[in-house]
Amino acid sequence: MQIDKEIDTSGLNCPLPILKAKKALSELQSGQTLKVIATDGGSLRDFQAFAKQTGNELLEQQTVGSTYIHVLRRR
């Protein structure tokens, strides 16, 4: 999968990972992908809700140890 932009929000708690993702997505073209690295356990649920509310597509979520990886496609 091609990733167009990646941001690391490790150490940040809700709502900061979502806010940073929102800003990063606004800098992308429609169809481009954003990878977000987070350590906030609530981010799994937060990014699911964010994708539904904004219409951006949540392509993938992974948990690697204590790190959560989210991949979104801009609508």
Side-chain angles (χ1 to χ4, degrees):
M1 177 184 322
Q2 178 187 334
I3 302 296
D4 297 297
K5 184 168 187 149
E6 181 175 320
I7 60 171
D8 187 347
T9 64
S10 296
L12 301 177
N13 292 322
C14 181
L16 291 174
I18 292 288
L19 294 175
K20 290 193 176 287
K22 186 175 180 179
K23 181 179 186 304
L25 280 168
S26 73
E27 298 166 359
L28 296 176
Q29 302 296 319
S30 179
Q32 288 187 305
T33 55
L34 172 68
K35 178 178 180 178
V36 182
I37 300 167
T39 52
D40 179 12
S43 68
L44 289 171
R45 183 184 64 250
D46 294 343
F47 275 94
Q48 291 167 6
F50 173 74
K52 281 184 185 166
Q53 290 173 353
T54 62
N56 294 297
E57 186 180 357
L58 183 61
L59 299 175
E60 184 178 317
Q61 287 186 304
Q62 289 182 339
T63 303
V64 181
S66 60
T67 302
Y68 306 94
I69 299 168
H70 314 280
V71 180
L72 296 135
R73 176 179 288 134
R74 178 161 181 195
R75 61 180 166 93

